[in-house]
Amino acid sequence: MDLNILWFWIVGFLFIGYFVLDGFDFGVGIALPFIGKDDTDRRILINTIGPIWDLNETWVIVAGACLFAAYPEWYGTIFAGAYLALFVILLALIVRGVSFEYRHQGKGEQWTRWFDWMIFWGSAIPALLWGAAFANIVRGMPMEQMTAGGIDTTGELLFNFNYTGTFFDLLNPYALLGGLTTLALFFYHGLVFITRKTDGELRDRARQAATYVGLAVAVLAIAFLGWTVVAYYSVPTLIFALLAVVAFVGSWLVNLKGMDGWAFGLAVVTVIGAVAALYSTLFFSHGGEHLLMKNLTEGGLDMTIYNGAASDKTLGIMSWAFLVIMPFVLAYQAWSFWVFSKRLRRVDFERKVDAVEVEHEPATA
């Protein structure tokens, strides 16, 4: 098997897993100020992802590490071109994680509300910027290349690539539309996750909000995926885009009927289809060159899965490590979801508050 092709799809699998898992985490954080009417509601919302959010977030670390090891030129060029956006994503993720831990440490409504808004922005900003970043990868970036010496597996010279554009080159209409699409999609993904994890009025508010947010997702997704299919057409891209659209329509309809598990499951398929449509565009379109990134510089060399990859020996070692470790990761992820699958009820949180107040009530004569 061609290891370069294998690792292209392994990296894609890891990023798809990250967007599926951390996507609903982002959605819950975005929903916090909109459907959390009081502190108890917001505590319930945070606890829907409390046991699993950090495990979900580790997928981006693994994906980034594999990207660095398998395709160092791709990794370096992306970070050189989008370093400010990626730095903001990293900062937002740190702020969100800190807020989860410190929200309950202080006293007073102002303290908790301050951290609630930090959770919101720490979720909304990455949801927006990840979509813009992947859209720019599909669209391509201006690069220059220099001969690095050595020969790749196809017998061609190896090159080093350097980003030559500016930050504002990344703020193109296609990328901005991609960012708005992922922002709305992750918001919807989080809302249907909330309906799966809560009950009572909070569950009803989440379902109603998902109905309205779903309309925005439909408009944005059709526009963005339609643009992608037309501009970068390939049969797999079209199939994955249609899968995302059909799954989303199904999720929206069963959400109206209160079928929470089906709504969330189809939302997962929607995210998988949408990200796979973008990712497969690199491999199957652009003349079938199996690109990592198209060079927008006139006459410039495109970065492919061969001239942007690590050595065959490196890819071989990584393949064995992935084969051994990944089954344990998936098993632990599945076990975590099973253990924490119970719905969260408001009455249980109110009882905890009452117990704390009784415990700290001053003694009277």
Side-chain angles (χ1 to χ4, degrees), residues 3-184:
L3 292 177
N4 298 71
I5 294 177
L6 174 65
W7 271 97
F8 176 83
W9 291 109
I10 288 177
V11 170
F13 165 77
L14 293 171
F15 273 107
I16 288 173
Y18 170 65
F19 288 130
V20 167
L21 295 170
D22 219 20
F24 67 77
D25 288 348
F26 291 148
V28 172
I30 297 170
L32 199 63
F34 297 106
I35 66 171
K37 298 303 183 182
D38 56 25
D39 184 64
T40 301
D41 280 348
R42 291 188 287 273
R43 287 172 56 220
I44 294 172
L45 291 174
I46 292 172
N47 276 273
T48 61
I49 59 174
I52 56 176
W53 72 267
D54 47 355
L55 175 61
N56 295 343
E57 201 167 278
T58 57
W59 278 70
V60 74
I61 299 173
V62 176
C66 289
L67 179 65
F68 171 75
Y71 298 105
E73 291 299 324
W74 197 17
Y75 179 93
T77 305
I78 292 172
F79 271 79
Y83 71 93
L84 181 58
L86 293 172
F87 173 76
V88 172
I89 290 175
L90 178 61
L91 184 62
L93 293 177
I94 293 173
V95 167
R96 186 180 67 142
V98 169
S99 299
F100 285 144
E101 301 298 331
Y102 279 85
R103 179 187 185 277
H104 63 282
Q105 298 294 334
K107 295 182 179 180
E109 182 179 355
Q110 185 61 37
W111 173 278
T112 56
R113 292 295 291 171
W114 185 44
F115 280 107
D116 286 344
W117 280 107
M118 290 172 66
I119 292 172
F120 169 79
W121 289 111
S123 302
I125 290 174
L128 174 71
L129 293 182
W130 275 125
F134 265 74
N136 272 303
I137 293 173
V138 171
R139 176 177 178 268
M141 298 168 67
M143 301 175 287
E144 65 178 2
Q145 65 280 341
M146 299 176 291
T147 302
I151 305 294
D152 67 13
T153 55
T154 65
E156 297 180 355
L157 286 174
L158 294 174
F159 292 90
N160 285 329
F161 293 84
N162 297 306
Y163 177 71
T164 58
T166 67
F167 173 75
F168 296 100
D169 291 328
L170 304 175
L171 303 179
N172 54 81
Y174 180 70
L176 293 176
L177 180 59
L180 291 174
T181 301
T182 54
L183 176 63

Side-chain angles (χ1 to χ4, degrees), residues 21 24-25 47-59 193 196-197 264 327-344:
L21 295 170
F24 67 77
D25 288 348
N47 276 273
T48 61
I49 59 174
I52 56 176
W53 72 267
D54 47 355
L55 175 61
N56 295 343
E57 201 167 278
T58 57
W59 278 70
F193 176 76
R196 179 67 184 84
K197 288 287 294 180
F264 177 68
F328 293 98
V329 175
L330 295 175
Y332 180 71
Q333 188 91 50
W335 178 80
S336 298
F337 272 87
W338 174 260
V339 169
F340 299 108
S341 61
K342 182 181 178 181
R343 288 186 184 271
L344 303 182

